[in-house]
Amino acid sequence: MATWSNLNLQNSASPLMEQIIFFHDHTLIILLMITILVSYLMISLFFNKYTNRFLLENQMIELIWTIIPAITLIFIALPSLRLLYLLDELNNPLITLKSIGHQWYWSYEYSDLNNIEFDSYMIKSDSKLNNFRLLDVDNRIILPMNNQIRILVTATDVIHSWTIPSLGIKVDANPGRLNQTSFFINRPGIFFGQCSEICGANHSFMPIVIESISIKNFINWINNYNNS
């Protein structure tokens, strides 16, 4: 998870987030090269005294500074489009999770697993419990790692946004509309997110917590939940 004074992206917990980080670094290098080149040209213009009184136009220079930016944009656009299509793919999900946004908490439904339902509220920070301030919840989402998960997102009142940065997920929760995406968690752990759409007075107090566990422990959790 992100910590104070950390300007980097969160560590990836899914293949899609890895691709997003790669694309971010790829684009940043291109922007850095452009910035250095333009800065060098501007500084050199300030500190030399070369003039050409007879230069009215130069079609070759105009051609060069049109073609080079076009090629640069292609190098940015192609990986971007590839990533965009990867984010939309949905390959045979093992589990479908439904997330419903409320003012100001989330409720979840495991429709495939005996209709398990629960609400998830933020819990007050307590130094004795060593929980994370404004991020921990009373009921975490339990999901198996190394499996494709589909999530359906909607809301009952206003627009919310279901977001887990380390998984590369950000889905708007619109009242009366069902949005869909999928993700693949490739390691165990606890992953935090928050509502990313300003939804009212307590917008900052509806966090999201996913606990990723092995498929065996997930089945045991399902059985224990049904028995209780």
Side-chain angles (χ1 to χ4, degrees):
M1 61 173 288
T3 55
W4 294 112
S5 71
N6 185 2
L7 300 178
N8 299 319
L9 297 171
Q10 291 189 23
N11 292 334
S12 166
S14 72
L16 285 177
M17 188 58 190
E18 288 178 8
Q19 294 297 317
I20 291 171
I21 292 172
F22 291 154
F23 176 67
H24 168 268
D25 296 342
H26 166 80
T27 309
L28 205 61
I29 289 172
I30 293 175
L31 292 175
L32 188 62
M33 292 169 60
I34 293 171
T35 304
I36 292 171
L37 177 62
V38 172
S39 301
Y40 169 76
L41 292 174
M42 291 180 68
I43 291 170
S44 64
L45 284 174
F46 281 121
F47 289 99
N48 70 53
K49 298 181 180 180
Y50 300 133
T51 58
N52 190 337
R53 294 183 295 119
F54 304 104
L55 182 63
L56 297 178
E57 62 177 26
N58 191 323
Q59 293 183 352
M60 182 56 68
I61 292 177
E62 291 182 1
L63 187 65
I64 290 170
W65 72 38
T66 301
I67 291 176
I68 291 179
I71 294 172
T72 305
L73 288 175
I74 290 172
F75 275 98
I76 295 174
L78 291 180
S80 175
L81 291 171
R82 172 182 167 274
L83 185 57
L84 199 62
Y85 281 105
L86 280 175
L87 289 170
D88 282 339
E89 281 192 6
L90 187 62
N91 298 319
N92 300 322
L94 176 74
I95 296 169
T96 297
L97 174 70
K98 187 175 181 183
S99 173
I100 305 168
H102 307 267
Q103 287 182 314
W104 288 272
Y105 65 96
W106 296 95
S107 59
Y108 300 100
E109 299 176 9
Y110 292 78
S111 304
D112 303 332
L113 304 169
N114 295 328
N115 288 326
I116 293 175
E117 299 180 9
F118 56 85
D119 296 331
S120 181
Y121 290 88
M122 185 187 76
I123 57 177
K124 294 181 179 179
S125 46
D126 187 347
S127 58
K128 295 180 182 178
L129 297 176
N130 292 323
N131 54 359
F132 293 102
R133 181 176 177 270
L134 303 182
L135 283 177
D136 248 328
V137 295
D138 55 357
N139 289 312
R140 294 173 175 172
I141 308 165
I142 309 296
L143 291 173
M145 63 179 181
N146 295 328
N147 286 285
Q148 195 74 24
I149 310 295
R150 175 173 62 177
I151 182 163
L152 306 175
V153 182
T154 187
T156 58
D157 33 48
V158 298
I159 298 176
H160 302 275
S161 186
W162 199 86
T163 307
I164 303 286
S166 59
L167 299 178
I169 304 171
K170 188 175 188 296
V171 188
D172 284 343
N174 298 312
R177 180 173 176 176
L178 213 57
N179 285 331
Q180 170 183 276
T181 191
S182 69
F183 56 92
F184 183 96
I185 307 175
N186 57 14
R187 61 186 172 91
I190 299 173
F191 309 109
F192 296 92
Q194 290 175 301
C195 175
S196 297
E197 187 74 37
I198 297 175
C199 56
N202 291 330
H203 157 69
S204 303
F205 308 122
M206 49 184 303
I208 304 157
V209 183
I210 290 180
E211 186 172 342
S212 172
I213 57 177
S214 67
I215 186 69
K216 180 181 178 181
N217 291 335
F218 178 74
I219 293 170
N220 291 336
W221 176 79
I222 294 293
N223 292 333
N224 292 335
Y225 194 96
N226 289 329
N227 293 333
S228 61

